[in-house]
């Protein structure tokens, strides 16, 4: 299927991705990983929940770590432009026969909870508690010096259908991978905020969350994190990289948290605000799309992901597979 034309006048206005709730089995172990190792800042902490923000963020949280019996993903959060957008969003999801619930969320104003057609739990809001800026409090910079949340990447059992739905929400395709044989989408990157993506979809058992990415100041921060992780008991948590992506041109590293949730450290993609930006097409058989320097990704990278709470993933009908490291 061809990539859909950009939807420049969506039914409601999503500003950007905002936050993820990871359900974790050992809150202390997660704290050691996200706070002491990555350097995210604690904005709330109690016996069951830790909220974190990155250094440039004014909103209260970009990650909520929620104590749970099983590790999975509670919700993906998105910020909308203004209050009427929330009502328009409710109308849109109700019109598609999808659930619409108004829920109470700590540190957030009116919050709409829904699901996409595959069951991915989504929440939309306009107002979140605003905190004083800390981006010039350099004494607080630790770990990989995370600046902001950048994107979610999800496994999808039908990437063409996911792209069509998220295109309806106003996400615009910047790059995509096509299976040459079937002409179907194997993966796609879609944005609202003017970078390469807020959300991406990869063919596979889905829906599952493949990773959440954080933007860092420069590639040397990634090297520093590797030195830190490899000498503080986290060497087995380093999964792939460092490297340069073909798609997005970003410098990257993939690591796994204590529950296996995958985090990408990401730096330096490019601006995509032009409404007539032409998407870049890649072939599934081109190994440089994953890593510009040619090294293929490990098998775990294509197979493992975090399930969404209460959602049973289903296999993809598209069996095409990329080149995988032995
Ligand atoms: Fe990514």
């Amino acid at each position: 299927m061809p990539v859909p034309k950009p939807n420049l006048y969506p039914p409601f206005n999503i500003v950007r991705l905002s936050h993820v709730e990871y359900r974790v089995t050992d809150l202390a172990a997660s704290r050691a990983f996200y706070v002491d190792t990555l350097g995210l800042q604690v904005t709330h902490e109690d016996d069951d929940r830790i909220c974190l923000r990155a250094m440039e963020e004014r909103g209260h949280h970009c990650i909520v770590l929620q104590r749970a019996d099983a590790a999975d993903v509670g919700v993906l959060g998105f910020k909308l432009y203004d209050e009427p957008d929330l009502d328009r969003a409710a109308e849109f999801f109700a019109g598609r026969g999808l659930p619409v619930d108004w829920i109470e969320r700590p540190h957030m104003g009116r919050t709409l909870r829904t699901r996409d057609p595959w069951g991915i739990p989504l929440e939309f809001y306009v107002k979140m508690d605003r905190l004083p800026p800390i981006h010039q409090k350099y004494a607080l910079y630790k770990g990989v010096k995370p600046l902001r949340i950048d994107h979610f990447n999800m496994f999808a059992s039908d990437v063409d259908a996911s792209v069509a739905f998220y295109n309806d929400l106003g996400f615009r395709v910047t790059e995509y991978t096509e299976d040459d044989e079937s002409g179907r989408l194997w993966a796609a990157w879609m944005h609202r905020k003017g970078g390469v993506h807020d959300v991406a979809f990869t063919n596979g058992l889905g829906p599952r969350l493949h990773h959440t990415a954080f933007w860092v100041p420069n590639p040397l921060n990634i090297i520093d994190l590797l030195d830190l992780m490899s000498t503080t008991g986290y060497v087995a948590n380093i999964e792939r990289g460092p490297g340069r992506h073909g798609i997005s041109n970003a410098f990257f590293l993939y690591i796994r948290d204590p529950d296996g949730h995958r985090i990408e450290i990401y730096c330096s993609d490019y601006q995509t605000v032009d409404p007539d930006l032409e998407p870049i097409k890649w072939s599934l058989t081109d190994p440089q799309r994953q890593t510009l320097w040619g090294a293929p990704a490990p098998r775990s990278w294509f197979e493992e992901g975090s399930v969404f709470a209460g959602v049973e993933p289903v296999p993809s009908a598209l069996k095409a597979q990329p080149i995988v490291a032995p």
Side-chain angles (χ1 to χ4, degrees), residues 40 77 82 109 244:
L40 287 154
D82 203 359
R244 169 85 59 194

Side-chain angles (χ1 to χ4, degrees), residues 150-153 189 197 200 210-213 245 254 264 266 301:
D150 189 81
H151 60 263
F152 301 128
N153 188 313
W189 287 255
H197 53 322
H210 188 277
H211 63 263
T212 300
H245 281 309
Y254 294 94
E264 180 181 15
Y266 181 90
W301 198 86

Side-chain angles (χ1 to χ4, degrees), residues 115-187:
R115 290 181 185 272
D116 81 359
W118 298 273
I120 294 179
L122 304 173
E123 67 188 19
F124 298 100
Y125 74 96
V126 173
K127 291 196 179 351
M128 181 185 276
D129 288 353
R130 305 299 279 182
L131 301 177
I134 52 171
H135 62 282
Q136 288 179 326
K137 296 205 178 301
Y138 284 104
L140 297 178
Y141 280 73
K142 300 272 162 45
V144 76
K145 303 184 175 176
L147 295 184
R148 55 186 181 273
I149 193 169
D150 189 81
H151 60 263
F152 301 128
N153 188 313
M154 288 158 272
F155 280 117
S157 58
D158 183 340
V159 174
D160 286 295
S162 291
V163 167
F165 180 79
Y166 282 79
N167 195 75
D168 287 347
L169 299 185
F171 290 90
R172 309 205 290 271
V173 176
T174 54
E175 304 205 27
Y176 62 101
T177 302
E178 201 171 86
D179 169 35
D180 297 326
E181 241 168 68
S182 63
R184 293 189 60 187
L185 288 176
W186 195 86

Side-chain angles (χ1 to χ4, degrees), residues 91-132:
E91 210 173 293
F92 173 88
F93 282 93
R96 298 281 178 118
L98 296 165
V100 169
D101 293 300
W102 296 100
I103 61 165
E104 295 287 326
R105 289 286 269 168
H107 314 289
M108 291 165 59
R110 214 156 59 104
T111 302
L112 167 65
R113 179 69 73 99
T114 182
R115 290 181 185 272
D116 81 359
W118 298 273
I120 294 179
L122 304 173
E123 67 188 19
F124 298 100
Y125 74 96
V126 173
K127 291 196 179 351
M128 181 185 276
D129 288 353
R130 305 299 279 182
L131 301 177

